[in-house]
Every structure is written in C-alpha cells, then in structure tokens.
Amino acid sequence: MSPRQITVLGECVADAFAEPASTSNELALRVLPGGGPANTAVSLARLGTPARFLARLSGDVFGRLFRAHLETSGVDLSSAVPAAEPSTLAVAELDAQGQAAFSFHAQNTADWQWTAQELARVDLSDTACVHTGSLALVQEPGAAVVEDFLAAAAPHTTISIDPNVRPLLVHPDVYRARLAHWCALADVLRLSEDDLELLLTGTPPEEACDIWHAAGVRLVVITRGADGALASLDGERIQVPAVPTSVADTVGAGDSFTAGLLHHLGARGLLGGRLTGIRLDDVAEACRFATRVAALTCSVAGPNPPWQSQLEQLATADRT
C-alpha cells in the first residue's frame, strides 16, 4: 500500500555549528538546514512518504539554502509561503556525547508570522496526517493561527504533535499551559525524555502517558535516547530498545524517529482518522522501524536523515 500524503507545518532553522578557525580571534560556522518540522518533512520524503511542508520561507541566504535542501529531498513546497522576514538562526554547541545546546536568534523571523489567510488556502483533501509542533505552536503571533488550523483539520486527518521544548527561547510554562489543549487535538504525541522532564518535572513516564491520555491523545511515544522508546496506546504500553550505533551527534534524531513512526503507520493505512484500527503490535513495529531511522541519523553529523535505500542496505546487512 502506498502511503498517503503527510503535511508538516512549522519552522526551518539555520543550524550553525562551530568549527576550528584559522586564527584564535575568529569563529568559523558550518551552517546546515534544520528545525524540527523541516527535519521531519525531509525524513518523511526520503523514506518515500509524499511529504508537503507548510513553511514561511525567507528569501535570504538561509531561506534559499532551506528551499534547495527540501526540494532535493523530495519535499513538496507548493504551499510554502514566500516570506519577507529573515530566517531563524540557531547556534549549536556539541558536548562530548554529541548532544547539542542551542542559542537562538529568532526575534521577528519568518517562521512565526502565520496569518489565517495564508493557512486558509491549504487544501488537506489528500492529506492523511498533519504533523506540527516545536516553536510553531508557541511563538506568537502565529501560534494561535496554527492551533486553529489544527482544530479545523482534526475532524478529517490524523494529528501528530511533537512539543520539542526549547526553554532558552520559550519558557516551559508556555508549553505546559497549552499541552492539554494540544492533547485534545492530537492523536499522536511524540516527545523526548528531556521534554518530559521540562513539562512534568519528576513525573514517571508511565504516569505522564496516563495524564496525556486523559487529556485526549490516544498514542504517546517518549523517546529515551540510548534507552529506546516507551509507547503507550490508550494505556497499553511497550518498551522498544534503541538500535546500537556510532554516534556523530544526536541533532535531528527525534525528528527522524517521528518521521519513521508516521511513515510506517501511513504505509500500512493506519493514518487518516482517529487511529481506530491501530493495535499495540502495530505501534511496536512502527517504533522499531523508527529507532532504525533515528540510529542512522545519529551516525552522521547534523540533521541528515537517511534515505529509504540506506535503510534497505542496513536491513540486508543485518540478515547476512
């Protein structure tokens, strides 16, 4: 079965990584196209799911980089909005484990300026799932417009949300205040254990899943890095181990996991409604696939998710 289209809404961010410079009073930056929603759209397209990206793309040097990267990966940009504002920039510092800490340059940038008129033009008749999250749901003035768009889409499509909390840019209280509302809109909530700690400090993952189920979301998946993932479907739970890999960095790994999860569910015809036909075995299989996608992303520098052909090569190597 060929997967139906998944529409991803959110930001593109220029991820700048410090590299050795020729002199001590210089800082060299290597800029890669990133941003959680953009990474997810790229990963979906590379896996073979028709992926449309709703973004506001600046015409600046970073915006041109984003557009080329997305189009080369096969992402549909036909509904992207040409924006006059500048692109968002994030400067990343990596620790010894490849974990990135970001500082953001995001004031009045293109990504947050959505208007109701821009999103009213979007046709979702061919879309099985709308995925969003990250800063698009909390950065004003566009956040409220995005929430209204999700509310209008929810009766017709599966809704997937990744909070992707960025406490240096937006206080976690802003996310906490909106999370119950997002759970009422969403069918899938994917978040990291770091997000969990910021949103419900000290709460065990299983208890957090039950809180979010009570708020309305059916499927919760918490990714836990090297410890794999916990998936909870209406309170039925399963743990999925991580795939061992040589880690270059973890940038974009969670976004790739989300793409792998949605791609696998979509390819089996399980997206397009309220997940009424889904079973825990389906979730476990999708999570196992998603961990392989995330592992390959971790094995290379930056948010560079794998192509379907790379996954097929990995599967062949595992069988031999």
Side-chain angles (χ1 to χ4, degrees), residues 14 37 70 283:
L70 290 155
V283 173

mmCIF file of all heavy atoms in Angstrom, residues 14 37 70 283:
data_model
loop_
_atom_site.group_PDB
_atom_site.id
_atom_site.type_symbol
_atom_site.label_atom_id
_atom_site.label_comp_id
_atom_site.label_asym_id
_atom_site.label_seq_id
_atom_site.Cartn_x
_atom_site.Cartn_y
_atom_site.Cartn_z
ATOM 1 N N ALA A 14 18.262 27.671 10.535
ATOM 2 C CA ALA A 14 19.656 27.510 10.127
ATOM 3 C C ALA A 14 20.462 27.094 11.350
ATOM 4 O O ALA A 14 20.649 27.879 12.278
ATOM 5 C CB ALA A 14 20.192 28.815 9.550
ATOM 6 N N PRO A 37 10.341 20.628 12.534
ATOM 7 C CA PRO A 37 9.369 20.276 11.489
ATOM 8 C C PRO A 37 10.015 20.068 10.115
ATOM 9 O O PRO A 37 9.657 19.141 9.387
ATOM 10 C CB PRO A 37 8.412 21.468 11.490
ATOM 11 C CG PRO A 37 8.504 22.003 12.879
ATOM 12 C CD PRO A 37 9.953 21.852 13.258
ATOM 13 N N LEU A 70 15.198 21.134 0.966
ATOM 14 C CA LEU A 70 13.888 20.493 0.996
ATOM 15 C C LEU A 70 13.515 19.916 -0.364
ATOM 16 O O LEU A 70 13.067 18.766 -0.473
ATOM 17 C CB LEU A 70 12.830 21.491 1.464
ATOM 18 C CG LEU A 70 12.922 21.892 2.942
ATOM 19 C CD1 LEU A 70 12.295 23.269 3.164
ATOM 20 C CD2 LEU A 70 12.229 20.853 3.816
ATOM 21 N N VAL A 283 1.973 -0.428 16.715
ATOM 22 C CA VAL A 283 2.789 0.630 17.301
ATOM 23 C C VAL A 283 4.207 0.136 17.543
ATOM 24 O O VAL A 283 5.195 0.822 17.243
ATOM 25 C CB VAL A 283 2.154 1.137 18.611
ATOM 26 C CG1 VAL A 283 3.089 2.116 19.326
ATOM 27 C CG2 VAL A 283 0.809 1.793 18.336
#
